[in-house]
């Protein structure tokens, strides 16, 4: 499945971004295709399958691949923070699912903790001693940050709270026509062109 975007900034056209969307399961975004005789989504646990898929996409000039993973909060929250479903609620110690806007408050604190933990200068490694409403994190973290310092933050919700969260934090936004770039500039002083927008596209290719 491909997410695509074509943006314009002023009079200059920007390049189309092609990003494949796959899941660590048989994808619900393309219902029924798991029955196709050539479907290989059941191999999601195979490293060689993921490598082969990445090579195919690279050969097709795709810019990236997004692997959705909801196994636990640490994998889920950075890419789509407020998506705490009933499944996750019971497995993460919640007795009930947090309200919609509270999920974004949880996400806000989570991301701010992540910012504090991501260092590029070894001399800055220290305890962060974070004590908040939802998290208590002494730090420092034990992983080496990526070259861009923080993980790429992707957002996939378009409610009022979701758009505000995306405008403040996200580098890539999955959208269905709602664009938070105006909010990014007016409320958070961000350059709207720094946010990439991915619109869902699910091509069904017939026999040739």
């Amino acid at each position: 499945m491909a997410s695509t975007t074509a943006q314009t900034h002023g009079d200059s056209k920007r390049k189309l971004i092609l990003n494949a969307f796959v899941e660590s399961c048989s994808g619900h975004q393309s219902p029924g295709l798991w029955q196709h005789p050539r479907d290989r989504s059941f191999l999601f646990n195979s490293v060689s399958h993921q490598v082969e898929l990445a090579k195919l996409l690279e050969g097709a000039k795709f810019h990236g691949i997004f692997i959705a993973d909801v196994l636990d909060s640490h994998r889920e929250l950075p890419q789509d923070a407020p998506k705490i479903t009933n499944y996750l609620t019971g497995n993460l110690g919640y007795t009930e699912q947090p309200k919609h806007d509270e999920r974004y408050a949880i996400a806000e604190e989570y991301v701010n903790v992540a910012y504090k933990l991501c260092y590029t200068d070894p001399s800055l490694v220290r305890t962060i001693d974070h004590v908040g409403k939802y998290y208590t994190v002494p730090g420092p973290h034990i992983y080496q940050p990526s070259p861009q310092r923080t993980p790429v933050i992707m957002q996939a919700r378009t409610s009022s709270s979701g758009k505000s969260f995306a405008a403040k934090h996200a580098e890539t936004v999955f959208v269905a026509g709602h664009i938070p770039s105006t909010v990014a500039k007016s409320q958070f002083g961000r350059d709207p062109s720094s946010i990439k927008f991915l619109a869902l596209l699910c091509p069904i290719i017939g026999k040739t």
Side-chain angles (χ1 to χ4, degrees):
M1 181 177 299
S3 297
T4 64
T5 181
Q7 301 177 349
T8 58
H9 186 58
D11 294 328
S12 61
K13 291 185 177 180
R14 301 179 67 187
K15 292 182 178 180
L16 188 73
I17 297 173
L18 292 175
N19 180 79
F21 180 96
V22 299
E23 296 179 277
S24 295
C25 62
S26 296
H28 70 280
Q29 299 283 8
S30 50
L33 289 183
W34 61 270
Q35 301 178 80
H36 194 283
R38 295 179 61 188
D39 177 74
R40 294 294 180 268
S41 61
F42 60 88
L43 295 173
F44 62 85
N45 274 331
S46 167
V47 174
S48 60
H49 168 71
Q50 301 292 1
V51 171
E52 180 184 2
L53 178 58
K55 288 180 177 179
L56 287 172
L57 292 167
E58 185 175 30
K61 306 301 182 183
F62 273 62
H63 294 84
I65 177 172
F66 176 81
I67 303 175
D69 187 344
V70 294
L71 294 180
D72 57 61
S73 62
H74 299 288
R75 298 184 189 181
E76 174 66 16
L77 286 170
Q79 57 90 6
D80 190 5
K83 188 180 178 182
I84 303 177
T85 63
N86 289 329
Y87 164 76
L88 290 175
T89 298
N91 287 287
L92 293 179
Y94 291 95
T95 57
E96 61 181 14
Q97 182 172 323
K99 300 297 183 182
H100 178 273
D101 286 354
E102 185 181 7
R103 297 202 295 270
Y104 281 97
I106 296 171
E108 179 73 22
E109 185 175 339
Y110 184 98
V111 170
N112 285 328
V113 170
Y115 290 154
K116 293 178 182 179
L117 291 172
C118 294
Y119 308 106
T120 53
D121 185 346
S123 67
L124 297 178
V125 176
R126 64 192 184 281
T127 60
I128 64 172
D129 300 319
H130 175 89
V131 179
K133 181 178 180 180
Y134 304 102
Y135 299 100
T136 298
V137 183
H141 205 4
I142 59 174
Y143 80 100
Q144 181 177 351
S146 58
Q148 73 270 21
R149 178 177 173 266
T150 60
V152 176
I153 298 177
M154 308 182 85
Q155 161 71 1
R157 293 294 177 267
T158 53
S159 66
S160 177
S161 297
K163 286 186 285 187
S164 180
F165 182 88
K168 185 175 182 180
H169 297 291
E171 293 159 283
T172 300
V173 183
F174 293 104
V175 298
H178 304 279
I179 297 179
S181 54
T182 301
V183 180
K185 182 177 181 180
S186 62
Q187 293 189 20
F188 303 111
R190 294 183 64 188
D191 178 1
S193 66
S194 68
I195 306 176
K196 311 304 180 189
F197 296 96
L198 303 177
L200 185 64
L201 171 66
C202 183
I204 306 297
I205 310 300
K207 293 182 178 180
T208 58

